[in-house]
Amino acid sequence: MKSRRKSPVNTVTTEPQHCSIDLRLKILSRLPFFSGLPAQALQQINQRFIEIGYEAGNFVYRAGDPAERLYVVADGKVKILQHAPGGRDVLLDLLTSGEFFGSLTTLGAASYADTAQLQTSACLLSIRSEDFQQILDAHPTLALKAIAIMAERINLANQRLLQVVALPVEQRIAFTLLALGKKLGRRQENGLLIDVPLSRDDLAEMAGTTPETASRVLSQLQSSGVVDSGRQWIAITDVDALEQRTTQS
Amino acid sequence: MKSRRKSPVNTVTTEPQHCSIDLRLKILSRLPFFSGLPAQALQQINQRFIEIGYEAGNFVYRAGDPAERLYVVADGKVKILQHAPGGRDVLLDLLTSGEFFGSLTTLGAASYADTAQLQTSACLLSIRSEDFQQILDAHPTLALKAIAIMAERINLANQRLLQVVALPVEQRIAFTLLALGKKLGRRQENGLLIDVPLSRDDLAEMAGTTPETASRVLSQLQSSGVVDSGRQWIAITDVDALEQRTTQS
DNA sequence: GCAGTTATCTGATCCAGATCATGGAAGGCA
DNA sequence: TGCCTTCCATGATCTGGATCAGATAACTGC
């Protein structure tokens, strides 16, 4: 019954051409964030961006580095984490194409509070914070969109805080898996595959627990037929059942 | 040694005239957020606001209510909290004069995710979200300031998440007290008084623990001479010593 | 000043989940 | 194909802090 098949996660690495300057404008124009902008403006904005390719595992920046750039994920997955003095880390988010990270503002803190590391190889677009601020200045619509995005992130962070304080581990892991499934899920024969290499450590850091406990909970979910998992991958086989786990027991 | 004096917290309730329409413009113009704006613009903005006085304990809004207004604290203290299904709550923030809460955006969620309750009687200024958005639209500088404020709140939320996951209760309480002291502290003979009525329950909800544990930690800090406290009040007598508690043991 | 109510303190017990420890399975690479 | 490394599962033990339960102290209203 225990399936230990080869990881079904799409491990195709980002090809160099995915990160080429040719595709940059196309990528930017597809972003919901920039939608509705005249082509001309988009053209100008495009010129301020540079593209960077990274290998999986690389750090884009680390907590404490001077915060001077804003990044957009063009392709690949990026994990945002925060370090605690005691060595225990928290995985704040796993970002996918179209999402922002880095410094949205030059006001306030002068250094990054979090660390950005590539979960897969990826292609990033990057812009200096000041340039981005000028863009926001010139296009108030974008500023409102940015505010909406940030409001959402504040809610997300508060939601997680609430969960960690008030819910037992199993429920937190259920919530975490559902969120991952919703965001990064890909339909498969065996269910909703979380389409990113995800270790037990990663899951633990997202749910605010230890890898051992994450493993135990996952084993239990697996033997109940709610999820299917293996080395570095997890698939949700029964979303409804998993949703139930967020409530009781 | 144990001091159980009368609460030194300033309990002067907001007088009606503090919330009068006469003072509204003055209050708004003093806000750092609106500083640098021409008087004319401020005049216009002022017209969009309404003022409301509330009694301590009242709810401004509750989680789930339709989110259609943004509030500014003119006078008094407002606590922002979030409910967990299990009954345990989290106190997200204690806001004081000049701070915003409510709905910064009409995009996204249509209802408040949190609850706003008055910690003291207070005077609030309120504006419809759409009106506020129009103001941001018209004054891009304000939008950038709003973004900076939200970035700060995101960092704060992530910081607290990290603390809850990685630090033991005593350290979390020490951090909480230091933050409160920094934000709401008033110098007194006996130290830095946290100038707001604050019960053990409130402190527990801020630090993500139970009132019993909060009480125990506080007793221990008190017998070490680091803080001084009583019914509904806490003062930090030795800031440096408290800072040390955030690190070791 | 007294009775009732609310906030706080503190002891005793309990348990979810962290920690410690070990063995096994999957993938990488020569 | 076999060695080596990394990841995962799972048992055993331990403990920080929650929970349960009274006992005090402070405020409120009369």
Side-chain angles (χ1 to χ4, degrees):
Chain A
M1 188 40 59
K2 300 219 175 177
S3 42
R4 283 290 168 282
R5 282 153 274 116
K6 190 158 169 285
S7 168
V9 172
N10 193 349
T11 54
V12 173
T13 54
T14 305
E15 301 294 328
Q17 67 268 26
H18 284 173
C19 216
S20 74
I21 189 165
D22 298 338
L23 287 179
R24 205 170 63 184
L25 184 58
K26 191 175 291 182
I27 288 167
L28 282 181
S29 63
R30 268 204 305 261
L31 289 183
F33 187 76
F34 290 117
S35 73
L37 234 53
Q40 190 120 24
L42 204 57
Q43 189 69 259
Q44 281 184 328
I45 290 171
N46 182 37
Q47 284 170 12
R48 305 289 193 88
F49 275 92
I50 60 171
E51 70 280 343
I52 327 170
Y54 283 103
E55 291 291 304
N58 277 9
F59 289 89
V60 183
Y61 58 77
R62 292 163 193 265
D65 290 351
E68 42 203 29
R69 300 199 74 90
L70 172 76
Y71 298 85
V72 180
V73 182
D75 193 32
K77 307 278 186 284
V78 179
K79 82 174 166 193
I80 307 297
L81 33 80
Q82 202 151 63
H83 306 290
R88 167 120 69 219
D89 290 353
V90 176
L91 205 169
L92 293 175
D93 210 349
L94 269 174
L95 304 182
T96 187
S97 313
E99 294 192 282
F100 296 81
F101 66 100
S103 166
L104 255 170
T105 169
T106 49
L107 316 170
S111 60
Y112 296 111
D114 48 27
T115 297
Q117 186 181 17
L118 296 211
Q119 190 76 352
T120 67
S121 69
C123 169
L124 306 178
L125 301 181
S126 167
I127 188 174
R128 292 196 314 146
S129 295
E130 301 104 65
D131 289 346
F132 189 70
Q133 292 219 6
Q134 282 179 12
I135 291 172
L136 291 184
D137 231 2
H139 305 279
T141 334
L142 294 187
L144 291 184
K145 280 190 187 178
I147 287 175
I149 289 173
M150 297 182 82
E152 219 168 282
R153 292 198 182 176
I154 289 177
N155 278 338
L156 188 76
N158 287 339
Q159 204 66 43
R160 288 188 61 190
L161 181 64
L162 187 67
Q163 285 181 14
V164 169
V165 168
L167 303 182
V169 197
E170 196 193 321
Q171 292 186 31
R172 265 150 43 205
I173 289 188
F175 270 115
T176 305
L177 292 177
L178 284 169
L180 286 172
K182 195 168 183 184
K183 184 169 184 180
L184 305 167
R186 201 183 69 204
R187 284 253 157 258
Q188 291 247 308
E189 337 68 71
N190 46 334
L192 191 64
L193 174 72
I194 293 171
D195 200 12
V196 64
L198 191 78
S199 69
R200 299 295 178 271
D201 289 73
D202 292 327
L203 181 59
E205 286 178 2
M206 291 199 82
T209 181
T210 58
E212 292 94 332
T213 298
S215 177
R216 271 183 251 270
V217 171
L218 220 49
S219 295
Q220 200 252 300
L221 288 175
Q222 180 138 340
S223 63
S224 308
V226 180
V227 307
D228 193 5
S229 71
R231 190 190 172 96
Q232 305 253 49
W233 65 270
I234 303 173
I236 304 171
T237 49
D238 188 343
V239 176
D240 293 340
L242 191 55
E243 246 152 20
Q244 297 222 326
R245 304 277 177 143
T246 60
T247 319
Q248 17 101 9
S249 174
Chain B
M1 188 39 64
K2 300 217 175 178
S3 40
R4 283 288 165 280
R5 282 152 273 114
K6 191 158 169 286
S7 170
V9 172
N10 192 348
T11 54
V12 174
T13 54
T14 305
E15 300 296 328
Q17 66 271 24
H18 284 173
C19 216
S20 75
I21 189 165
D22 298 337
L23 287 179
R24 206 170 64 183
L25 183 60
K26 192 175 288 184
I27 288 167
L28 283 181
S29 64
R30 267 204 305 261
L31 288 184
F33 187 76
F34 291 116
S35 74
L37 233 52
Q40 189 122 25
L42 205 56
Q43 189 69 257
Q44 282 185 326
I45 290 172
N46 181 36
Q47 283 170 13
R48 307 290 194 89
F49 274 93
I50 59 172
E51 70 280 341
I52 326 170
Y54 283 101
E55 290 292 303
N58 277 9
F59 290 90
V60 184
Y61 57 78
R62 290 164 195 262
D65 289 353
E68 42 204 27
R69 301 199 75 90
L70 171 78
Y71 298 85
V72 179
V73 182
D75 193 30
K77 308 278 187 281
V78 179
K79 82 174 164 190
I80 306 296
L81 33 81
Q82 202 150 64
H83 305 291
R88 168 119 71 221
D89 290 352
V90 175
L91 205 169
L92 294 175
D93 210 349
L94 270 174
L95 304 182
T96 186
S97 312
E99 294 192 282
F100 296 82
F101 65 100
S103 167
L104 254 170
T105 169
T106 51
L107 315 171
S111 60
Y112 296 112
D114 48 28
T115 297
Q117 186 180 17
L118 296 211
Q119 191 73 355
T120 66
S121 68
C123 168
L124 306 179
L125 302 180
S126 168
I127 188 174
R128 292 196 315 145
S129 296
E130 300 103 66
D131 289 345
F132 189 70
Q133 292 218 8
Q134 282 179 10
I135 292 172
L136 292 184
D137 231 4
H139 305 280
T141 335
L142 294 188
L144 292 184
K145 279 190 189 176
I147 287 175
I149 289 173
M150 297 184 82
E152 218 168 281
R153 292 198 182 175
I154 289 178
N155 278 339
L156 188 76
N158 287 338
Q159 204 66 45
R160 287 188 61 190
L161 181 63
L162 187 67
Q163 285 181 14
V164 170
V165 168
L167 302 182
V169 197
E170 195 193 323
Q171 291 185 33
R172 270 155 35 212
I173 289 188
F175 270 115
T176 305
L177 291 177
L178 284 170
L180 285 172
K182 196 168 180 183
K183 185 171 182 178
L184 304 168
R186 202 183 69 206
R187 284 252 157 260
Q188 290 247 309
E189 339 65 73
N190 47 335
L192 191 64
L193 173 71
I194 294 170
D195 199 12
V196 64
L198 190 79
S199 70
R200 298 296 178 272
D201 289 73
D202 293 327
L203 181 60
E205 286 179 3
M206 292 200 82
T209 183
T210 58
E212 291 94 332
T213 298
S215 176
R216 271 183 252 271
V217 171
L218 220 50
S219 294
Q220 199 251 300
L221 288 176
Q222 179 140 342
S223 62
S224 309
V226 180
V227 307
D228 192 5
S229 73
R231 189 188 172 99
Q232 305 252 50
W233 65 270
I234 304 174
I236 304 171
T237 48
D238 188 341
V239 176
D240 293 340
L242 191 54
E243 245 151 20
Q244 296 222 325
R245 304 277 177 142
T246 61
T247 320
Q248 17 99 15
S249 174

